[in-house]
Every structure is written in structure tokens, then in C-alpha cells.
Amino acid sequence: DIGRAGDEMGLDLFVVGGFVRDLMLYRKSDDIDIVVEGDGIAFAKHLAVMKQGRCNTHREFCTAVVILPCGFKIDVASSRLEYYKAPAALPTVEMSSIKLDLFRRDFTINTLAIRLNQEGFGTLIDFFGGQRDIKDKSIRIIHNLSFVEDPTRVFRAIKFANRFNFTIGKLTSNLIKNAIRIDFFKNLSGLRVFSELKQILEEENPISAIELLNEYHLDKVIHPGLILDSSVISLMESVKKALAWHDLLYLDIQYARWAVYFMVMIRRCPVKVIDEICNKFRLPPRQKNMVLRDRIRADDRLYLLEKSLPCKNSGLYHILSIFKTEQILYMIATAKKEEARKAISFYYTQLKDVTPLIRGKDLLTMGIKPGPAYRDIMQKVLDARLDGLVDTLEDELEYVN
Ligand code: CTP
């Protein structure tokens, strides 16, 4: 259908990039990128009408997103030779616009395209050896200025190498080292570095990416005071286990996976360094508090917990109830004692959501006047419930009496 929309407008259309790469790797892709040789915005509008979807356009970049009634998103970009005149000193003569579009991408594995027009539908286009590199399990840049053009690609190389278990090609690896040596990152905003790092930490299993960050000394690019050594990496393995444990039990609970890894990454840095990293990354106050203030609290409470064990359920609850999922998982990952790990897991699975059955109106019926006393009573009843002293509402009423 997409191809038909292109045929109707006399435009050549290709599905490109991650979608084709993932297809070749038998992996699921969440979005689809289309490149139109010509006016992509006009095409996107036509497609939206045809499929009764919506179309959001970004005129500045000549791109659009078509959202189909089922919620599926199609990103549309325009490839027109005139768009490529300005930047980068690259030899771009005599290329078709789709070839130029693909030439300007990061790695060969992302340069595959499939034609969508009826004529030649399904033809795989591979100008830069993408298929060969997928077969070789290799991350390779297309041209030597790739990292000059966009230094965030260094992080992307690591993300893809980690995700697909590919190796970074020799030349590409040397160019990465070069980019780090010459400090291509000097003018890169902290926000962009953070966005790349966050994507890496959100990957299913980011450990080998962290090892690569360490091998290439990219920790120093993030901040000179950051150390990603083997002890941090082994704690990250514990984070991975804690997250796997959580996700198995609570499929639908959303939390910031990246933040749990990030807290472990920075935990040994002095507060000043963490503060600088957060500011450089422009973390919003809520996230900064999560990884700095609340993380320090989590360390303190973990220390307290390890000293207080074994303790009553109510004691455990009071130590841990101020924390969100991210800190709980951080504590499980960093606990020194297995006993503490078990206690925190027990809190999270059994105690976290416990509440008294008794309500304010029950206390009123008992003749207790509303006021601060209510809170104390509720707290006592909650403790009794946590410690198994009450079971039914009657038990609670009796307990209050
Ligand atoms: N791209 C690039 N340089 C960047 C970012 C992106 O050349 N710094 C190109 C890549 O070739 C990529 C395309 O833009 O195929 C789309 O980018 P993105 O959506 O980030 O890439 P995906 O390959 O789809 O990655 P992911 O699977 O992580 O979504």
C-alpha cells in the first residue's frame, strides 16, 4: 500500500535503515523509516489520507510521521540532491539521492534499503556492503569522516556492537580511538552524550557495552572523574540480575532501567563529580535527586539494614518504604550480604503494598476524634499487620482498643 501511494505520485520509495537491518537479523523492529526520492512531506500527507491516519510534519528537516489508525508509526524522510549541498567535505558527486542519503548514515549495517514501488518491489539495495558486514558481524563506518561528522556515533558503534554481539571493525576502531585522542567530543553537548549513554543503559544487556566504554576510555569523555573499572562492571552484573528478577515478577511495572545502572556507575565518585555529571547531562531535578540524593540515602539505609538484620517486618518496612523501585533494585544489586538482598526482595514482594484495613470512619465510630492521633494509630496498626499480629478488620479494631 505504501508503494502504491508512491506510484500514484510518481515517487521512488524505499524502506531503509534499522528496519531492514533488523529484518536481516530476524529481529523485531518497532518503527519503520521510509525515504522518498522527492517531496517526502507531500507523500506523507497523501499516505495519511489514503490510510485514514494522521500526519505530523517537520518542514525544517523535510520529514514527517504518519500515524496509522492502529497506532503504527511510519517515519518519512525526503532525499533530494539539493538537500546535500551544504555540510561535510565528502565526495558526493554523481550519486543518486537514495545512495547519497544512505552514504550519510553511520554504519554499513544501517545502509540497506528495500524498494517499495510496485516495479522492483522488494529489491534489496546494498551500496556499501551492509549485507557482508551483517554476515561478518561487523560494525563498520562508511567513510572516514563519519565520527567527525557526528561524534555521538562512537557511542552508537558501541550500542550496536553490544546489542548484536558484533565486533567493531579495525579501521572503525582506530577512528574511534582517534576521535577520543583528538577529543572530537569537546563541542558535543552533555545532553547528546547523555542521550546516547541512556540508550546504551536501556539495552537488554548493556554489560559488554560498559566494558567497551571502559576499553576505549570513554568514561573520561563523560567526565574525567568517572571510573568504569572491573569492580563497577561486576556490580553492573548484579544490577542485571536484580533487573531480571524484577522483570520476571512484575512484567508491567515501568521504571528507569538506565537509572539503576547509572547509579552503580557513579556511586564511587565524589558528590562534586556526580553533581557536575548531572549538570553536564542537564538531568531534570527529579532525575538528579534520584541518582544523587536518594541514591546516597539508599547507601545509608542499606548500611543500616545490614547492621539491623535480622529485624522485624515493621522495622524492614520503615527502613525501605521511602524508596522507589529504582533504589530498591540498586540496593539489591549493591548489598554486601545475601541476607540483606533477601530481606529487600521480601520487602518488595510481600510488604511494600501492605495497608491497614481500618479506615478513618472506623476510628470515628470508636469515638476517636480526627487529628494527628489518627496517623499514629494507623502507623501502629500497619506495624501490627506487617508483623502478623492482626489479620482481619476485627483484629485491627480490637488492637486499637
Ligand atoms: N543515524 C546516523 N547518525 C546518527 C544517528 C542516526 O547516521 N548519529 C542514522 C542511522 O543510519 C540510522 C538512522 O539514522 O539507521 C535512524 O536512526 P535511529 O532511529 O537512531 O537508528 P536505528 O538504527 O533505528 O536504531 P535503533 O534500533 O536503536 O532505534
Side-chain angles (χ1 to χ4, degrees), residues 17-18 21 105-106 110 150 152-153 156 159-160 163:
R21 176 200 67 214
R105 288 170 185 254
D106 47 7
N110 290 333
D150 182 353
T152 60
R153 288 174 172 169
R156 287 175 62 85
K159 176 178 76 177
F160 291 128
R163 185 191 299 169

Side-chain angles (χ1 to χ4, degrees), residues 121-256:
F121 180 85
T123 310
L124 181 71
I125 293 164
D126 182 6
F127 292 116
F128 306 106
Q131 269 177 297
R132 173 204 61 205
D133 288 344
I134 286 178
K135 232 162 104 206
D136 287 357
K137 294 176 161 279
S138 244
I139 307 293
R140 290 208 177 98
I141 36 96
I142 303 156
H143 57 75
N144 291 359
L145 294 177
S146 193
F147 297 125
V148 179
E149 231 178 38
D150 182 353
T152 60
R153 288 174 172 169
V154 167
F155 290 92
R156 287 175 62 85
I158 289 174
K159 176 178 76 177
F160 291 128
N162 171 73
R163 185 191 299 169
F164 304 131
N165 198 16
F166 282 16
T167 42
I168 299 178
K170 188 107 187 80
L171 173 66
T172 305
S173 180
N174 284 337
L175 290 170
I176 291 179
K177 286 177 194 154
N178 201 38
I180 294 161
R181 195 167 45 82
I182 308 180
D183 199 6
F184 284 4
F185 304 90
K186 223 178 17 239
N187 300 321
L188 197 62
S189 78
L191 207 59
R192 291 198 64 201
V193 174
F194 174 58
S195 158
E196 295 301 327
L197 180 65
K198 190 171 159 190
Q199 285 180 48
I200 288 176
L201 298 180
E202 284 283 345
E203 289 284 319
E204 190 67 31
N205 176 9
I207 309 294
S208 59
I210 308 299
E211 284 167 348
L212 280 174
L213 289 177
N214 178 33
E215 273 168 38
Y216 282 114
H217 306 298
L218 275 160
D219 44 359
K220 298 289 170 279
V221 167
I222 297 168
H223 191 286
L226 183 68
I227 306 163
L228 285 182
D229 58 11
S230 54
S231 71
V232 176
I233 290 166
S234 87
L235 264 185
M236 288 203 157
E237 288 282 1
S238 307
V239 171
K240 192 176 104 188
K241 277 191 210 143
L243 302 194
W245 166 82
H246 177 273
D247 297 352
L248 201 65
L249 288 173
Y250 303 98
L251 272 179
D252 48 349
I253 292 189
Q254 299 290 316
Y255 62 97

Side-chain angles (χ1 to χ4, degrees), residues 85-102:
K85 276 185 199 144
L90 296 167
T92 55
V93 276
E94 291 178 13
M95 284 196 196
S96 63
S97 70
I98 180 69
K99 186 167 180 185
L100 246 174
D101 183 283
L102 298 168

